[in-house]
Amino acid sequence: MRQDNDSQAGPMAELWVNPDLRPAADVLAEADIRLADIEDAQARLARFAPLLTRLFPELRAADGQIESALLPVPAQNAGPLLALPPARTDWGRLLVKADHDLPVAGSIKARGGIYEVLAYTERLALQHGLIAPGGDYAALADAPARRVFARHTVSVGSTGNLAMSIGIMAASLGFRATVHMSAEARQWKKDKLRAHGVDVIEHAGDYAAAVHTGRLAAENDPQAHFVDDERSLTLFLGYGVAALRLREQLAAQGIAVDVRHPLFVYLPCGVGGAPAGIAFGLKQVFGDAAHCWFVEPTAAACFLTRMRHPDRPGISVYDAGMDNVTEADGLAVPVASELAYAQMRHLLSGVATAADATLFADLAALHDMQGLQVEPSAAAALSGPRMLLSHAVGEAYLREHAPGDSLARATHIVWSTGGRFVPPEEFQAFLARGRAAVPARA
Ligand SMILES: *Cc1c(COP(=O)(O)O)cnc(C)c1O
């Protein structure tokens, strides 16, 4: 049996079902963000593809598109990964959306973060006449454009991965790049950014404090663009493009998604921007056939805390008795994004939480069974389907939303959000810890 909690005292892992879930069509009819906004973001990324290919030769094979694979998990691995009894085959199939392997930034932050830097770049480039609308964006890697960008700063506050995405992209274009890192940020991430020429400012405080400081610093500088992870609609739309890409990937694999073939997606959640952008896009594309679940560490369940308290904007995990101490650095966020919360309030199916010991056990299992290198934050996703399929509240949700034999035709996607650039020594230490956490699996 697996352990659902660390030896230290702390909140127990749980599955929470959203009592305010409403039909997607009703909610989206009132939403101030439209599918057309996400399609517009997709078109902007396509305009930049030739430039991205020029800046990052590893994107050549994908024609400048930053995208990850959708990997099927064989049934003989899926059952043990989800801790289901061998006889249980009524739950559909499992796939991994491999954002841990996204090129350039190595995490899900490549989607929103790089998109926001490109949107800012396009605005500046048009303003300064560096490109004409519909012109050749590859020219933005040339000296005249770089001279303009060098007079501007792009900055961000982050626990690590958003800084990697923003810092690497901005520095590659020739911007000055400043990142404000919270206490959780790993040394190797700071080292990698400095090697790219990024100005790394280290803060002793948490993520919310790092964002706040960065925002203030940029406000006083007209030549600076601050990527606001708590408030940015641009980031949100960049993340949302993942839904359009996933629709294509599912179709290419012959996987139907409709009310008779439900789609369950499990997304690790920090401040909420990335998972909410993707979930919002999926609800736009698939409506009520898509069931979106967030997964958070037991110590840093800020989105769950906000969802539980609809009348308390700004409520923190500290208010709810959690300490925000987790090895899942990408998820160590004390307060949820209000933008993400507002969009998810009636569209999110629910939230699962996972203890750190479970994250490490799943990190090791994903490596040993599937050959994947994911970071602890990404491994959180697996707790979603495991809890939905085995806890009483999950079973009640499924009886209502996937009645009859539709569950047997379901597709479950665990969104694996980061890991590509974790240094080998660090990954080996994660693995050792994960294998020790569940001896039966090692
Ligand atoms: C940032 C991050 C997330 C969650 O994204 P938010 O927008 O913070 O909710 C999940 N996994 C990893 C690895 C991340 O870096």
Side-chain angles (χ1 to χ4, degrees):
M1 265 321 290
R2 47 183 317 111
Q3 254 181 292
D4 265 335
N5 220 347
D6 252 322
S7 44
Q8 308 99 294
M12 292 290 291
E14 64 177 312
L15 179 68
W16 175 85
V17 172
N18 182 7
D20 295 327
L21 177 65
R22 286 172 44 200
D26 297 354
V27 179
L28 294 174
E30 292 165 17
D32 43 10
I33 305 171
R34 317 242 139 225
L35 181 58
D37 299 322
I38 300 173
E39 288 165 345
D40 180 56
Q42 184 179 40
R44 181 163 294 107
L45 287 170
R47 291 198 287 279
F48 273 98
L51 175 65
L52 291 176
T53 307
R54 211 179 140 187
L55 295 174
F56 304 105
E58 71 260 38
L59 296 178
R60 219 169 276 154
D63 285 329
Q65 183 169 290
I66 298 175
E67 196 41 77
S68 71
L70 178 62
L71 307 169
V73 178
Q76 75 269 17
N77 288 351
L81 282 170
L82 301 183
L84 296 172
R88 194 150 169 214
T89 55
D90 63 335
W91 56 272
R93 70 180 118 200
L94 180 68
L95 296 100
V96 172
K97 179 62 179 151
D99 274 11
H100 63 277
D101 212 22
L102 273 177
V104 182
S107 82
I108 193 169
K109 302 297 195 313
R111 300 184 178 280
I114 288 175
Y115 175 69
E116 178 149 348
V117 174
L118 296 179
Y120 177 60
T121 301
E122 185 177 59
R123 209 161 67 225
L124 277 181
L126 291 169
Q127 254 169 32
H128 289 264
L130 297 169
I131 42 169
D136 176 15
Y137 282 33
L140 296 177
D142 293 336
R146 296 183 74 86
R147 274 197 296 275
V148 171
F149 299 151
R151 299 201 300 269
H152 294 80
T153 302
V154 177
S155 67
V156 68
S158 168
T159 64
N161 282 339
L162 188 61
M164 297 263 283
S165 154
I166 302 287
I168 291 172
M169 189 66 237
S172 307
L173 284 162
F175 286 103
R176 287 195 303 241
T178 303
V179 304
H180 297 266
M181 302 286 251
S182 63
E184 296 78 22
R186 310 243 170 217
Q187 190 58 42
W188 68 266
K189 291 182 182 173
K190 299 175 202 168
D191 295 344
K192 190 171 166 84
L193 283 165
R194 288 187 172 122
H196 279 266
V198 174
D199 186 12
V200 177
I201 301 176
E202 302 179 49
H203 294 273
D206 66 16
Y207 157 90
V211 171
H212 182 71
T213 314
R215 188 187 288 135
L216 285 184
E219 264 168 14
N220 298 320
D221 181 354
Q223 303 283 80
H225 179 77
F226 179 67
V227 177
D228 199 321
D229 199 17
E230 291 179 325
R231 301 178 185 171
S232 169
L233 178 60
T234 308
L235 269 180
F236 189 89
L237 294 174
Y239 287 123
V241 172
L244 307 179
R245 305 255 177 93
L246 185 69
R247 173 170 60 185
E248 281 172 34
Q249 289 182 315
L250 287 165
Q253 295 188 24
I255 298 175
V257 177
D258 52 46
V259 175
R260 292 186 63 252
H261 301 82
L263 174 69
F264 292 83
V265 179
Y266 309 92
L267 296 144
C269 174
V271 74
I278 294 172
F280 184 86
L282 290 171
K283 295 301 265 194
Q284 287 277 8
V285 168
F286 296 118
D288 293 325
H291 302 267
C292 302
W293 299 82
F294 289 178
V295 189
E296 300 186 288
T298 50
C302 66
F303 214 86
L304 172 59
T305 299
R306 183 70 179 97
M307 292 290 285
R308 270 197 168 129
H309 298 278
D311 55 344
R312 288 185 63 185
I315 187 172
S316 76
V317 298
Y318 312 119
D319 298 328
M322 303 163 203
D323 61 10
N324 200 38
V325 175
T326 170
E327 297 275 351
D329 52 329
L331 312 182
V333 173
V335 181
S337 151
E338 284 297 313
L339 167 68
Y341 167 74
Q343 300 306 326
M344 287 297 101
R345 165 122 203 246
H346 300 295
L347 292 177
L348 190 65
S349 292
V351 181
T353 64
D356 275 22
T358 305
L359 307 187
F360 281 101
D362 283 336
L363 178 153
L366 284 168
H367 176 267
D368 294 345
M369 290 186 192
Q370 290 293 121
L372 306 179
Q373 175 175 314
V374 311
E375 60 185 85
S377 298
L382 261 186
S383 286
R386 186 185 304 119
M387 295 188 97
L388 183 68
L389 293 168
S390 61
H391 282 222
V393 282
E395 282 166 10
Y397 180 93
L398 292 171
R399 271 196 304 279
E400 184 182 344
H401 294 276
D405 55 0
S406 68
L407 183 60
R409 291 184 299 266
T411 299
H412 301 265
I413 296 181
V414 296
W415 211 287
S416 169
T417 48
R420 181 182 180 122
F421 295 141
V422 175
E425 325 74 71
E426 189 142 341
F427 188 71
Q428 288 307 318
F430 287 162
L431 259 189
R433 185 164 166 191
R435 287 171 177 158
V438 180
R441 262 193 195 161

